[in-house]
């Protein structure tokens, strides 16, 4: 006999209190129920049930075997369900959140390609730079920048988020090219409005020979949108600190020039974050796998990790 099948019969007999009741539930005879129980007892070399003419009860060994058999069958059922889910066609609505610049520069194109591959999925992409609560705000997945704290969520590591500083050839011809970070104090440096304190500039951080260096920069123009900052830089108004994904086209065209190559800005960790549901939906599983395939690091760097909400 099949051991898992016999375990299922044994659990049914223990739950229902008699071979006859178990047989009715399983659509087999009471005699066949008895054969399954006997098969297990002979295999184990011990009795699992105390039987009398009026009632039956679990032996001490039977109680232990019942508990572990039930857990084993639940795990087997879960394994079957997971495989079924993997083969199910992804469908339904996915609500995704991402930072504004990265979302507009990389995620939008990635999502359109994903939707072409999975025609039964719909995606609602929200772009903002505030810290969102994945569960309370109702997102299935979030692209998150920066270090992660421990919690009950799951993260897959993506390529680090790299920023650069750059300016137009015309600006550099008129104002000179900075050679070290301290030279930036003499330049117009474009910044986000939320960086600035009243009457002061921002702090730009660089790495040189393993050490970090912060420089206070200032400028007359601060903007709340990265694409608007890029446009100001392209007009030759000042030096821009921006995500590489935002400026890479202008750099390749020669419209911008990357500065201070010996003083890179620290890269920020980036992850895709989602809930650790035991039965991950096909739509979410396929989306996470797609993002990691396009934006992830090497496979060994993409193990799941507990992170902050």
């Amino acid at each position: 006999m099949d051991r898992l099948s016999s375990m299922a019969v044994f659990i049914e007999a223990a739950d229902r209190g008699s071979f006859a009741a178990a047989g009715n539930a399983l659509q087999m005879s009471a005699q066949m129920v008895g054969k399954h129980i006997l098969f297990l007892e002979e295999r184990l070399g011990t009795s699992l049930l105390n039987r009398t003419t009026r009632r039956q009860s679990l032996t001490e060994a039977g109680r232990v075997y019942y508990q572990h058999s039930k857990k084993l069958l639940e795990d087997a059922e879960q394994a079957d369900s997971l495989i079924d889910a993997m083969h199910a066609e992804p469908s339904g609505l996915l609500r995704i959140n991402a930072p504004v610049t990265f979302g507009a520069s990389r995620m939008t194109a990635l999502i359109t390609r994903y939707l072409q591959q999975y025609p039964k999925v719909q995606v609602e992409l929200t772009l903002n730079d505030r810290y969102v609560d994945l569960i309370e705000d109702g997102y299935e997945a979030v692209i998150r920048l920066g270090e992660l704290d421990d919690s009950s969520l799951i993260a897959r590591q993506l390529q680090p988020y790299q920023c650069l500083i750059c300016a137009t050839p015309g600006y550099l011809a008129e104002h000179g090219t900075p050679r070290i970070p301290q030279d930036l104090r003499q330049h117009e440096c474009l910044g986000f409005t939320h960086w600035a304190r009243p009457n002061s500039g921002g702090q730009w951080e660089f790495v040189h020979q393993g050490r970090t260096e912060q420089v206070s920069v200032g400028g007359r123009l601060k903007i709340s949108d990265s694409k608007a900052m890029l446009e100001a830089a392209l007009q030759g108004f000042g030096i821009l600190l921006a995500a590489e994904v935002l400026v890479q086209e202008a750099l390749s065209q020669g419209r911008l020039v990357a500065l201070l190559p010996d003083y890179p800005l620290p890269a920020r960790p980036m992850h895709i974050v989602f809930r650790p549901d035991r039965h991950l939906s096909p739509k979410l599983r396929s989306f996470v796998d797609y993002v990691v395939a396009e934006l992830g690091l090497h496979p060994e760097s993409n193990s799941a990790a507990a992170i902050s909400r």
Side-chain angles (χ1 to χ4, degrees):
M1 290 183 175
D2 175 74
R3 188 168 20 154
L4 287 179
S5 297
S6 295
M7 285 179 176
V9 173
F10 164 64
I11 290 171
E12 197 72 32
D15 287 344
R16 295 186 179 272
S18 73
F19 288 5
N24 289 334
L26 297 171
Q27 297 184 336
M28 66 174 62
S29 67
Q31 290 77 13
M32 181 57 69
V33 172
K35 288 182 179 180
H36 278 285
I37 304 301
L38 182 61
F39 165 73
L40 292 176
E41 290 178 331
E42 289 179 345
R43 179 182 179 86
L44 297 168
T46 188
S47 295
L48 298 175
L49 292 168
N50 293 312
R51 304 173 184 85
T52 67
T53 56
R54 294 187 178 182
R55 61 187 296 272
Q56 68 181 32
S57 61
L58 290 168
T59 65
E60 182 179 356
R63 285 193 295 272
V64 173
Y65 196 71
Y66 173 87
Q67 294 171 353
H68 288 278
S69 295
K70 196 165 188 177
K71 176 67 167 57
L72 180 62
L73 291 174
E74 288 173 352
D75 288 344
E77 183 66 27
Q78 181 187 347
D80 290 346
S81 298
L82 289 174
I83 297 303
D84 289 343
M86 288 177 64
H87 292 293
E89 184 175 5
S91 63
L93 175 65
L94 272 174
R95 297 189 69 242
I96 309 298
N97 179 273
V100 174
T101 299
F102 183 79
S105 301
R106 293 294 300 275
M107 288 301 295
T108 304
L110 182 151
I111 287 173
T112 58
R113 293 192 297 273
Y114 168 82
L115 290 174
Q116 289 172 347
Q117 185 169 332
Y118 297 100
K120 292 187 178 181
V121 178
Q122 303 94 46
V123 172
E124 181 181 296
L125 174 64
T126 302
L127 302 180
N128 57 50
D129 291 321
R130 69 178 181 86
Y131 188 87
V132 300
D133 186 301
L134 187 146
I135 295 175
E136 289 187 4
D137 294 331
Y139 294 109
E140 276 116 322
V142 171
I143 303 297
R144 187 156 290 168
L145 300 179
E147 298 292 342
L148 302 172
D149 300 325
D150 291 336
S151 93
S152 60
L153 299 184
I154 300 298
R156 299 287 296 276
Q157 190 175 7
L158 305 178
Q159 298 164 9
Y161 191 73
Q162 184 65 58
C163 290
L164 303 171
I165 61 168
C166 48
T168 61
Y171 174 89
L172 298 174
E174 181 177 354
H175 300 281
T177 300
R179 302 299 177 187
I180 60 174
Q182 298 299 328
D183 292 344
L184 294 172
R185 293 175 175 175
Q186 313 305 319
H187 288 267
E188 288 278 358
C189 292
L190 301 165
F192 280 113
T193 53
H194 64 263
W195 284 351
R197 299 185 300 273
N199 303 318
S200 69
Q203 292 279 334
W204 289 5
E205 187 174 273
F206 300 86
V207 178
H208 183 61
Q209 296 180 347
R211 300 178 61 182
T212 60
E213 178 179 349
Q214 288 189 341
V215 177
S216 295
V217 299
R220 291 178 292 150
L221 180 60
K222 297 176 177 64
I223 306 177
S224 63
D225 179 79
S226 58
K227 288 189 175 181
M229 287 175 59
L230 172 61
E231 181 60 30
L234 290 172
Q235 294 299 317
F237 188 77
I239 293 177
L240 173 68
L241 186 159
E244 185 176 14
V245 295
L246 181 68
V247 299
Q248 58 188 4
E249 181 178 357
L251 289 170
S252 64
Q253 295 171 346
R255 301 168 67 197
L256 290 176
V257 177
L259 304 175
L260 301 176
D262 295 330
Y263 298 85
L265 283 79
R268 299 180 66 189
M270 183 165 63
H271 299 80
I272 181 168
V273 181
F274 54 97
R275 282 176 278 187
D277 296 333
R278 296 184 70 184
H279 298 282
L280 206 62
S281 67
K283 63 180 178 180
L284 181 55
R285 182 185 301 277
S286 63
F287 182 75
V288 170
D289 289 345
Y290 195 90
V291 171
V292 171
E294 291 219 4
L295 303 176
L297 299 173
H298 299 298
E300 59 269 21
S301 300
N302 281 315
S303 56
I307 64 153
S308 171
R309 296 180 184 178

